[in-house]
Amino acid sequence: MPAMKISILIPTKNESRKLIANMEEKILPYFDECGITYDVLICADGGREEEFEAISAHHFPAHVKLLPLIDVKGKGHAVKRLYEESDSDYGLFMDADLSTDLSVFDLMKGDLGKVDCLIASRDAKGSRYGKKQPLTRRLTHFGCRKAVQWKFHMKGIKDTQCGYKCVRTDICKKICSKSIIDGFAFDVELLYILSLNGYSIREYPCLWTDDPDSSVSSPLKSSLSFYKDLRKIKKNRKNYSGVK
């Protein structure tokens, strides 16, 4: 793997205990062992102030930075803020609950510098589930996946919503300037812009475990918002070109 720097980008909302535990017990030890230069950027937009203060009060190493709190809801908005703050070659964004096991980076790291966007996929051949998802989440995932495939026809992309993506930072900064989505459909918008502009995307199988305490409290409500955003993305296609 060529020498480069990676930013671990973590959007989080009202899950300070889980984030701190995962940082200390999993994220920092794992990336320390990877032998790469990295930093960690955390964005807690849209959450309670006391949750932000709990993260801020924790004594993380110097290469971990918490962005100032802005009362704006939406995972997409948080991810964009994180990329805008990054000065690394790649930004790897992941969910604070680590539903996607960190080990997928073992497969990705050999392609850094060769592929523009590397994504974990729950639907790629070889992926595994740590435990069976509740029926509502299985149906939600199936419906969202089919809607994306029907509307956007992105070849080779089976799962747009797995929360573990590693994208070249210089490209993603340009994409963020074109982005109009602040919610969960930001992942679709990101991959759609990459596809339209000819950037390379590769999927990797992962181990995925459903988090019963997910911040997505209402799958139905979130799905309706997701479908609305898909229409916005499709209508905005003409503004997504020229990201080079």
Side-chain angles (χ1 to χ4, degrees):
M1 184 178 71
M4 59 180 60
K5 181 181 175 183
I6 307 295
S7 283
I8 312 305
L9 310 176
I10 306 178
T12 181
K13 180 181 176 183
N14 298 334
E15 48 191 346
S16 60
R17 288 185 181 181
K18 188 172 294 183
L19 169 67
I20 291 169
N22 282 337
M23 283 287 294
E24 295 290 358
E25 299 169 13
K26 297 180 180 181
I27 296 172
L28 294 175
Y30 175 83
F31 285 100
D32 283 346
E33 289 294 320
C34 278
I36 61 172
T37 301
Y38 79 98
D39 60 10
V40 180
L41 304 178
I42 301 168
C43 181
D45 282 0
R48 295 188 296 269
E49 188 170 346
E50 58 266 31
E51 292 282 333
F52 175 84
E53 291 174 352
I55 300 170
S56 181
H58 190 78
H59 296 292
F60 287 117
H63 61 289
V64 177
K65 177 184 177 183
L66 175 63
L67 273 57
L69 180 65
I70 296 179
D71 187 22
V72 177
K73 297 180 181 179
K75 172 193 169 182
H77 184 272
V79 171
K80 285 183 276 189
R81 281 194 71 200
L82 289 163
Y83 270 105
E84 287 164 1
E85 289 290 327
S86 174
D87 63 357
S88 297
D89 297 287
Y90 279 82
L92 168 58
F93 68 90
M94 63 183 68
D95 297 331
D97 61 16
L98 297 186
S99 291
T100 306
D101 192 82
L102 293 169
S103 60
V104 68
F105 188 72
D106 294 341
L107 304 176
M108 292 179 170
K109 62 185 180 182
D111 288 330
L112 294 175
K114 304 174 186 176
V115 180
D116 299 315
C117 175
L118 310 92
I119 65 175
S121 171
R122 294 164 291 183
D123 300 310
K125 184 178 180 180
S127 288
R128 296 175 292 129
Y129 281 79
K131 62 180 179 180
K132 193 173 183 179
Q133 286 182 289
L135 178 60
T136 53
R137 292 194 182 276
R138 296 202 304 273
L139 291 174
T140 298
H141 172 59
F142 178 81
C144 290
R145 180 163 60 91
K146 289 300 181 182
V148 170
Q149 291 174 347
W150 176 67
K151 279 184 172 291
F152 300 101
H153 308 288
M154 291 183 283
K155 293 182 179 180
I157 301 176
K158 298 182 178 69
D159 181 9
T160 61
Q161 298 312 112
C162 186
Y164 196 107
K165 296 179 175 68
C166 187
V167 191
R168 275 178 47 193
T169 305
D170 59 335
I171 297 171
C172 211
K173 285 179 185 288
K174 296 173 184 176
I175 289 174
C176 289
S177 69
K178 299 270 189 177
S179 171
I180 60 170
I181 302 299
D182 285 339
F184 287 104
F186 167 76
D187 297 68
V188 177
E189 185 185 40
L190 167 66
L191 295 173
Y192 190 46
I193 296 174
L194 287 165
S195 297
L196 288 174
N197 289 279
Y199 290 108
S200 56
I201 304 169
R202 186 169 297 173
E203 280 193 326
Y204 301 81
C206 65
L207 169 61
W208 196 86
T209 303
D210 182 66
D211 178 14
D213 301 319
S214 171
S215 59
V216 183
S217 56
S218 174
L220 178 58
K221 184 178 179 181
S222 296
S223 294
L224 292 174
S225 177
F226 180 81
Y227 293 136
K228 289 179 181 178
D229 281 346
L230 292 187
R231 290 196 293 271
K232 293 178 184 177
I233 294 168
K234 192 69 174 179
K235 289 180 179 179
N236 199 47
R237 173 176 176 155
K238 64 180 183 300
N239 296 318
Y240 291 144
S241 60
V243 181
K244 293 292 184 181

